[in-house]
């Protein structure tokens, strides 16, 4: 049971959503945009972050879009992870989403919710960072169309009243060879110790990581080192450690040292496989 | 635009029956099903979306009723274990294969397995495992549950 009361509204289009946000957020009310709801309900039940109002975005047609257009795949913010996976349109994102929570929850968790939630892992961000995705945000000042990498720095940079409307990925990026590895401490379904996504783009490996630090990231500097064939795998890994954006996370699932050990093993396996393919 | 505030009366389509309930917007579907409709098949377990004992079907897809607001369910078709009627293939299979011990998780498992059999009758081992991992059986009847599900899928 959720102890506190809140207002629930479900607008039928984007303008109604913003109008509702403006009206409901007066008097310092805490208003959350709502997609699948799993994180908001969990936090509200625990009393840790209860809203005064929620605005359900699932009624906005464009936020439910999952469609190949001329040059892009368009994914609405309210599309569920399960829908993305079953569509088979973006295998890396489908695979990544299919390892977030469990299958039943994947039928509810949405792309927009995963990107903008407060849980630190946000693994759906990784494929978007790797494939030069674009993001379309909508808010009181209308649309903002941004490169995903510019909109996401440790967390999604939303302005007051903005929500994730759609994400667009170039068609040519959808079917690149990829690797997705998620390592958990014990259970298969759990938060990651480390998740690594990698794609091969023009014979160059791109990498993005979750779980290692307190936010998901892609690092061009790390990619340069990991693609440097003049260095041994061990040398690359050692140099990589110094380029992490912050020290690895230590928590109940694993120490930072252990996370780094897991990270090294995943990367080694990816590099070895690549070497074998090249040879 | 749908708008709910304070106590409000909603209509829900549960087990092919339209039923009215007075709810707060922050009431979760699990509590409304159990306390207002007397449909106690969906069980409260972790109430955190982890265990799956409260699984129901929403438009044919499994959902954990502890993580769905009752007001969100308006306009959707809700199916609980009571709505299965007692003689679906998966229910018969659970009996045949003794796929339970204490039974607390059974209704949640039945709903997931029923949805899998309906939506993906040709599911392979991988798909089956993926769907079943959403639910926990504290008595560890997993092997019997797996055998029961296999018996209703076509190609395993």
């Amino acid at each position: 049971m959720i102890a506190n009361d809140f207002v629930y509204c479900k607008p039928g289009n984007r303008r109604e959503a913003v109008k509702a946000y403006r009206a409901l957020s007066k008097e310092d009310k805490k208003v959350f945009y709502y997609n699948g709801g799993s994180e908001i309900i969990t936090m509200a039940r625990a009393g840790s972050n209860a809203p005064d109002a929620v605005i359900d975005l699932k009624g906005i047609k464009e936020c439910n879009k999952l469609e190949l257009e001329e040059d892009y795949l368009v994914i609405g913010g309210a599309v569920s992870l399960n829908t993305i996976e079953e569509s088979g349109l973006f295998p890396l994102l489908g695979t990544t989403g299919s390892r977030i929570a469990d299958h039943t929850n994947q039928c509810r968790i949405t792309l927009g919710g995963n990107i903008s939630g407060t849980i630190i892992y946000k693994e759906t961000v990784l494929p978007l960072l790797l494939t030069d995705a674009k993001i379309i945000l909508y808010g009181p000042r209308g649309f903002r169309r941004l490169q995903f990498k510019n909109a996401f720095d440790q967390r999604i940079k939303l302005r007051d009243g903005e929500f994730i409307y759609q994400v667009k990925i170039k068609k040519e990026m959808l079917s690149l060879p990829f690797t997705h590895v998620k390592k958990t401490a014990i259970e298969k379904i759990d938060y990651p110790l480390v998740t690594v996504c990698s794609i091969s783009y023009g014979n160059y490996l791109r990498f993005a990581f979750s779980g290692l630090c307190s936010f998901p990231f892609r690092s061009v500097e790390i990619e340069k080192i990991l693609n440097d064939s003049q260095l041994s795998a061990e040398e690359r890994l050692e140099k990589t450690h110094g380029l992490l954006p912050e020290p690895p996370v230590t928590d109940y699932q694993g120490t930072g040292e252990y996370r780094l050990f897991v990270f090294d093993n995943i990367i080694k396996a990816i590099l070895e496989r690549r070497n074998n393919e090249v040879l | 635009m749908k708008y709910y505030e304070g106590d409000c009366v909603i209509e829900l389509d549960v087990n092919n029956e339209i039923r009215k309930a007075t709810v707060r917007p922050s009431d979760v579907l699990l509590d409304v099903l159990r306390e207002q409709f007397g449909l106690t098949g969906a069980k409260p377990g972790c109430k955190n979306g982890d265990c799956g004992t409260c699984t129901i079907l929403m438009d044919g897809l499994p959902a954990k009723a502890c993580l769905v607001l009752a007001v969100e369910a308006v306009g959707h078709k809700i199916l609980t274990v009571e709505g299965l009627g007692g003689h679906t293939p998966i229910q018969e299979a659970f009996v045949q294969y003794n796929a339970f011990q204490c039974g607390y998780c059974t209704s949640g498992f039945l709903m997931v397995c029923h949805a899998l059999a309906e939506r993906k009758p040709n599911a392979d081992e991988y798909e089956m495992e993926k769907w079943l991992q959403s639910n926990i059986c504290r008595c560890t009847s997993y092997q019997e549950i797996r055998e029961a599900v296999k018996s209703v899928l076509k190609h395993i």
Side-chain angles (χ1 to χ4, degrees):
Chain A
M1 179 184 163
I2 298 172
N4 78 301
D5 287 326
F6 54 71
V7 170
Y8 170 94
C9 70
K10 188 175 183 181
N13 60 58
R14 61 177 182 267
R15 288 185 190 85
E16 279 185 2
V18 167
K19 198 174 161 189
Y21 183 87
R22 278 189 179 132
L24 292 166
S25 58
K26 283 177 185 164
E27 299 164 18
D28 289 333
K29 299 275 189 200
K30 203 188 283 182
V31 182
F32 293 165
Y33 286 117
Y34 182 101
N35 277 310
S38 40
E39 193 176 324
I40 292 176
I41 291 176
T42 305
M43 290 190 310
R45 186 187 53 77
S48 58
N49 196 5
D52 296 307
V54 298
I55 301 170
D56 190 343
L57 301 174
K58 295 194 291 292
I60 302 173
K61 190 179 154 197
E62 295 83 356
C63 291
N64 289 289
K65 190 172 180 176
L66 177 63
E67 209 172 286
L68 278 170
E69 290 185 343
E70 202 170 328
D71 297 321
Y72 288 92
L73 170 68
V74 179
I75 310 176
V79 177
S80 74
L81 302 183
N82 180 59
T83 304
I84 294 169
E85 197 221 352
E86 289 200 340
S87 76
L89 291 169
F90 187 2
L92 174 55
L93 183 59
T95 302
T96 305
S98 75
R99 287 296 316 276
I100 294 172
D102 59 53
H103 176 266
T104 298
N105 283 321
Q106 287 155 20
C107 295
R108 297 273 301 164
I109 297 170
T110 62
L111 181 62
N114 187 253
I115 294 170
S116 53
T118 60
I119 295 171
I120 64 171
Y121 306 103
K122 308 179 205 307
E123 288 155 278
T124 57
V125 162
L126 308 185
L128 302 178
L129 287 172
L130 292 177
T131 55
D132 303 329
K134 294 178 178 174
I135 189 164
I136 303 172
L137 309 171
Y138 187 77
R141 291 196 276 176
F143 284 112
R144 277 202 302 151
R145 293 174 175 82
L146 302 166
Q147 288 291 327
F148 188 80
K149 65 178 181 186
N150 296 332
F152 190 92
D153 180 15
Q154 302 192 10
R155 61 181 180 80
I156 189 77
K157 302 290 185 186
L158 295 171
R159 290 178 181 161
D160 186 41
E162 267 185 342
F163 59 86
I164 296 174
Y165 190 68
Q166 291 174 336
V167 165
K168 292 173 89 171
I169 305 100
K170 268 193 180 163
K171 266 186 186 173
E172 67 189 64
M173 305 301 281
L174 299 174
S175 51
L176 293 171
F178 71 88
T179 305
H180 168 271
V181 182
K182 174 171 179 168
K183 295 288 183 190
T184 53
I186 299 171
E187 301 288 341
K188 186 174 177 186
I189 295 169
D190 203 346
Y191 295 127
L193 279 168
V194 180
T195 296
V196 177
C197 284
S198 173
I199 61 167
S200 177
Y201 184 63
N203 208 27
Y204 189 85
L205 292 176
R206 295 181 176 186
F207 292 90
F209 313 98
S210 171
L212 189 59
C213 299
S214 64
F215 48 85
F217 67 96
R218 177 187 168 197
S219 162
V220 175
E221 290 74 27
I222 288 177
E223 284 173 5
K224 272 185 197 160
I225 298 293
L226 293 179
N227 278 282
D228 186 347
S229 56
Q230 303 300 313
L231 301 172
S232 68
E234 286 71 23
E235 286 170 327
R236 294 185 217 184
L237 287 168
E238 198 181 327
K239 283 178 183 277
T240 299
H241 294 175
L243 293 170
L244 295 178
E246 66 173 24
V249 170
T250 291
D251 63 11
Y252 71 99
Q253 302 208 72
T255 61
E257 203 178 6
Y258 181 57
R259 279 193 153 87
L260 217 46
F261 168 77
V262 173
F263 166 82
D264 285 356
N265 281 296
I266 296 172
I267 299 295
K268 263 187 208 167
I270 293 174
L271 295 178
E272 269 172 30
R273 199 174 70 184
R274 191 207 191 189
N275 280 344
N276 293 338
E277 282 167 4
V278 171
L279 291 171
Chain B
M1 178 160 60
K2 286 181 189 167
Y3 184 92
Y4 299 103
E5 183 174 14
D7 289 339
C8 35
V9 178
I10 59 171
E11 285 189 347
L12 295 178
D13 180 341
V14 182
N15 301 334
N16 289 319
E17 201 179 315
I18 304 296
R19 305 180 73 157
K20 283 188 179 175
T22 303
V23 303
R24 301 176 308 140
S26 57
D27 283 338
V28 294
L29 182 60
L30 174 65
D31 293 337
V32 173
L33 290 172
R34 292 177 60 84
E35 291 163 18
Q36 297 213 30
F37 300 157
L39 298 170
T40 55
K43 304 292 183 202
C46 66
K47 291 188 170 182
N48 199 46
D50 295 322
C51 73
T53 57
C54 65
T55 304
I56 50 94
L57 302 191
M58 204 161 154
D59 298 330
L61 277 172
K64 295 180 180 177
C66 69
L67 290 184
V68 178
L69 297 176
V71 291
E72 263 189 283
V74 173
H76 297 278
K77 288 188 85 66
I78 305 299
L79 185 69
T80 71
V81 73
E82 290 89 346
L84 291 184
H87 295 287
T88 57
I90 191 65
Q91 287 171 301
E92 304 279 6
F94 264 57
V95 173
Q96 189 185 342
Y97 288 88
N98 297 312
F100 38 73
Q101 289 183 49
C102 82
Y104 199 79
C105 70
T106 305
S107 47
F109 265 107
L110 282 171
M111 298 314 290
V112 167
C113 299
H114 178 74
L116 174 63
E118 290 282 305
R119 296 181 72 89
K120 301 202 169 182
N122 299 317
D124 57 14
E125 285 267 0
Y126 169 80
E127 189 82 22
M128 180 182 77
E129 191 176 313
K130 191 171 81 168
W131 282 57
L132 292 183
Q133 279 173 342
S134 303
N135 294 55
I136 293 170
C137 170
R138 274 92 169 172
C139 312
T140 65
S141 288
Y142 294 114
Q143 191 55 34
E144 291 82 359
I145 293 170
R146 178 184 283 259
E147 293 305 317
V149 181
K150 277 184 179 178
S151 74
V152 298
L153 297 175
K154 287 179 181 165
H155 293 297
I156 296 183

